[in-house]
Amino acid sequence: MVLITLEGIDGTGKTTLMTHLQHRLADLEPVFTREPTTSWTGRAVRRGIAEEIEPVAEALLFAADHAAHLASIVRPALAEGRPVISDRYSDSRYAYQSVVLEGLLRDPMGWLRDVHAAWTVPPDQTYLLVLPIDQAVRRLGGKHRRREHFEQEEVLRRVQEAYMTLAEAEPWRFVLVDATKEKREVAGFVEAGIRETVERSRARRRP
Ligand code: TYD
């Protein structure tokens, strides 16, 4: 079955999009999931973020949560023939941690890919929500809380650039989504794309 992921910098509206998709795509009976997960490995990741743990340790925590996510949710759902839709997935590591690890390792992206290569399940399709940085920062600013280090403007700019580089390298997998558009319009666009992908995959499996 198909594995679909939603990606983008903080403030692009992924969480709202997930809520819309949960209503609009219910008939396909997908498994909706997310990274960091809601399990104890995901809670460990969130604690690591809050405590600004050392960046290599942080990257490995995210990767550990991903491995647990694959085993507990993603692989079983795919084996059952259900579509999986994940709010963030491996590209979040490739985009965010490659920026965070810059200057600490010789080739952060190469290292991150090596860490995942032997065991990850690559997505079939990835919707990348793209938003001008000033708009993302404005949206985040509305939240009354201290910004996590990932939410600093310069970090977000570089993370979005890293996402665009990933998308250029695999144009067949990535679909760019204009996140400045009205929320229902964004949801309708992504819904239509997911329906087409699921339908195509089901048609391939029919005898
Ligand atoms: P997320 O839960 O999407 O943000 P929020 O708590 O605002 O809903 O993700 C938490 C933060 O972790 C977010 O800034 C993105 C970052 N992140 C990484 O740096 N690497 C990763 O692999 C993942 C999954 C998230």
Side-chain angles (χ1 to χ4, degrees):
M1 238 312 154
V2 288
L3 170 58
I4 286 154
T5 60
L6 309 182
E7 295 281 358
I9 57 170
D10 300 79
T12 48
K14 280 183 302 74
T15 308
T16 312
L17 174 59
M18 275 296 264
T19 309
H20 279 277
L21 293 177
Q22 278 166 4
H23 289 107
R24 287 167 176 257
L25 294 171
D27 58 300
L28 299 180
E29 298 184 356
V31 170
F32 288 96
T33 184
R34 58 162 303 147
E35 289 186 14
T37 64
T38 52
S39 74
W40 72 266
T41 52
R43 288 197 296 278
V45 167
R46 290 187 180 284
R47 183 166 170 190
I49 298 174
E51 295 190 9
E52 304 208 2
I53 191 179
E54 193 281 328
V56 172
E58 178 184 80
L60 292 171
L61 275 179
F62 275 118
D65 186 43
H66 180 58
H69 185 209
L70 288 173
S72 61
I73 295 176
V74 178
R75 283 204 178 90
L78 293 174
E80 268 179 38
R82 294 179 68 186
V84 177
I85 302 176
S86 185
D87 176 0
R88 295 198 182 283
Y89 195 75
S90 46
D91 292 304
S92 282
R93 238 98 55 233
Y94 303 150
Y96 281 83
Q97 272 62 53
S98 70
V99 168
V100 172
L101 292 169
E102 222 171 83
L104 288 176
L105 311 182
R106 194 157 32 83
D107 173 18
M109 184 65 89
W111 179 73
L112 288 161
R113 285 201 180 276
D114 285 350
V115 166
H116 287 74
W119 48 270
T120 192
V121 177
D124 297 293
Q125 186 125 76
T126 299
Y127 290 88
L128 175 59
L129 275 70
V130 183
L131 190 66
I133 303 299
D134 55 330
Q135 288 193 38
V137 169
R138 217 174 306 136
R139 287 189 192 176
L140 290 169
K143 297 183 188 171
H144 297 291
R145 60 182 170 85
R146 194 175 69 85
R147 280 200 205 143
E148 285 167 355
H149 58 294
F150 299 125
E151 296 175 351
Q152 307 295 332
E153 185 163 347
E154 185 50 29
V155 174
L156 291 182
R157 185 183 317 283
R158 284 157 61 204
V159 171
Q160 183 148 276
E161 275 168 24
Y163 269 129
M164 295 306 282
T165 306
L166 292 168
E168 280 160 24
E170 290 180 65
W172 55 88
R173 172 162 71 89
F174 279 88
V175 179
L176 299 193
V177 182
D178 179 355
T180 62
K181 293 249 162 68
E182 206 270 319
K183 296 221 179 312
R184 266 179 311 224
E185 194 180 336
V186 170
F189 174 75
V190 176
E191 177 196 358
I194 293 177
R195 285 193 182 280
E196 202 184 307
T197 305
V198 169
E199 186 45 48
R200 223 182 307 127
S201 140
R202 285 185 175 159
R204 263 202 312 271
R205 280 158 20 120
R206 275 180 212 124

